[in-house]
Amino acid sequence: MSSTDNPLSHDAKALASVESSMAEPLAAQPPSEKDRLPWGLWDVIIIAVVAVIAIGLFSMLALGVALHSQPGATPADVARNPRVVIPSQFAAYIVVVLFMVKLLRSRGWRFWTAIEWRWPQATWIGWLVLGFALALVVQGASALLPVPKSLPIDRYFRDTLGAYMMAVFGLTFAPLVEELFFRGFLYPALQRRWGAAVGVVITSALFAFIHESQLAHAWAPLLLLFFVGVVLTVMRARTGSVATGVLIHIGYNGMLFGMLYVARDHFRHFEKLG
């Protein structure tokens, strides 16, 4: 009898095949969601600390330079000047983004892949439109809530150049960096530990909290911004894409700046809104 007809030979081959498959390393298996995320909450806290330090250092540097070049200016006036605030904020955000990139590269990950950027090819305009609609909803709701007539953020819109600087920053780098931190890093870490619902609530609450000084610590505008954060975070969770959140955020800011642009006659007449 030949070896090919021997049932013992077939059994031996089958056993060898099973042993071979069992000997394959576990790394060959598809990674789970928990294993795939290359950062945790402590890493997010470190990023936040880096952001606070960078913003503080660049703000003090910009304040010192401005006071030196403007002898009659007061620290309070300079601190509300977009010509001082925007460059220092931009420099600090650059540091934060570089730290994020370095953190992920040190763990062998490509930055845009790890944060799930996933640019929506065909429907990206639709996400901008969703941002426009979100801004209109928030503006409509603000008429029904006790929102203060004057907010600290209004102080940054006192002249044409400052208003344009705020608009450009608010339509480009600010939404990008905020989405990278909150929806790119923070939400996935919270979702992995406590689930999607808790992740959405905490992410949205912290997103509103960082703007509270600009909103006079008033509960009504903070509640509206919390709602905006919920929409942004839910969309990030449903689409699995940080880029969609950035587009919605840009659309939202764009509608608000657009309405302000019209209300103040192309950023020329600021007395209209006080």
Side-chain angles (χ1 to χ4, degrees), residues 31-44 47 99-116 184-185 188-189 192 236:
S32 66
E33 181 69 19
K34 181 176 180 179
D35 295 331
R36 197 190 59 77
L37 192 66
W39 69 84
L41 282 176
W42 279 113
D43 297 307
V44 178
I47 294 173
F99 183 80
M100 292 176 177
V101 173
K102 181 65 176 178
L103 174 67
L104 294 182
R105 285 186 176 178
S106 69
R107 298 178 184 182
W109 283 79
R110 293 181 177 179
F111 180 76
W112 301 110
T113 301
I115 65 165
E116 296 184 329
F185 279 88
R192 182 178 66 169
R236 185 262 182 269

Side-chain angles (χ1 to χ4, degrees), residues 67-271:
L67 290 174
H68 180 74
S69 60
Q70 305 173 29
T74 65
D77 291 335
V78 171
R80 294 192 294 264
N81 189 341
R83 297 176 180 85
V84 177
V85 174
I86 298 302
S88 62
Q89 194 90 348
F90 180 80
Y93 278 6
I94 288 289
V95 172
V96 174
V97 171
L98 290 177
F99 183 80
M100 292 176 177
V101 173
K102 181 65 176 178
L103 174 67
L104 294 182
R105 285 186 176 178
S106 69
R107 298 178 184 182
W109 283 79
R110 293 181 177 179
F111 180 76
W112 301 110
T113 301
I115 65 165
E116 296 184 329
W117 178 251
R118 296 177 184 171
W119 181 265
Q121 296 294 332
T123 60
W124 66 271
I125 294 180
W127 298 111
L128 287 176
V129 173
L130 178 58
F132 299 157
L134 179 61
L136 293 175
V137 169
V138 169
Q139 285 298 297
S142 66
L144 306 175
L145 295 174
V147 176
K149 293 183 178 180
S150 178
L151 295 172
I153 193 172
D154 296 333
R155 300 170 185 170
Y156 295 98
F157 294 88
R158 295 298 181 182
D159 63 81
T160 301
L161 177 60
Y164 276 112
M165 291 180 67
M166 289 291 293
V168 171
F169 187 68
L171 292 173
T172 55
F173 212 47
L176 172 64
V177 177
E178 288 182 7
E179 291 306 309
L180 287 178
F181 177 77
F182 285 102
R183 261 64 66 171
F185 279 88
L186 178 59
Y187 170 72
L190 293 171
Q191 187 273 336
R192 182 178 66 169
R193 176 164 293 193
W194 291 304
V198 174
V200 168
V201 171
I202 295 178
T203 300
S204 305
L206 291 177
F207 175 72
F209 176 76
I210 68 163
H211 297 91
E212 56 94 22
S213 63
Q214 300 174 351
L215 301 175
H217 316 287
W219 69 266
L222 285 174
L223 177 62
L224 292 173
L225 199 55
F226 172 78
F227 170 70
V228 172
V230 169
V231 173
L232 290 169
T233 311
V234 168
M235 289 298 100
R236 185 262 182 269
R238 289 179 63 87
T239 63
S241 167
V242 173
T244 58
V246 173
L247 289 169
I248 298 170
H249 201 149
I250 291 174
Y252 174 82
N253 286 359
M255 178 58 75
L256 295 183
F257 283 121
M259 290 188 290
L260 189 62
Y261 181 78
V262 173
R264 299 199 177 185
D265 192 17
H266 302 181
F267 292 149
R268 290 183 296 186
H269 298 292
F270 297 91
E271 70 278 0

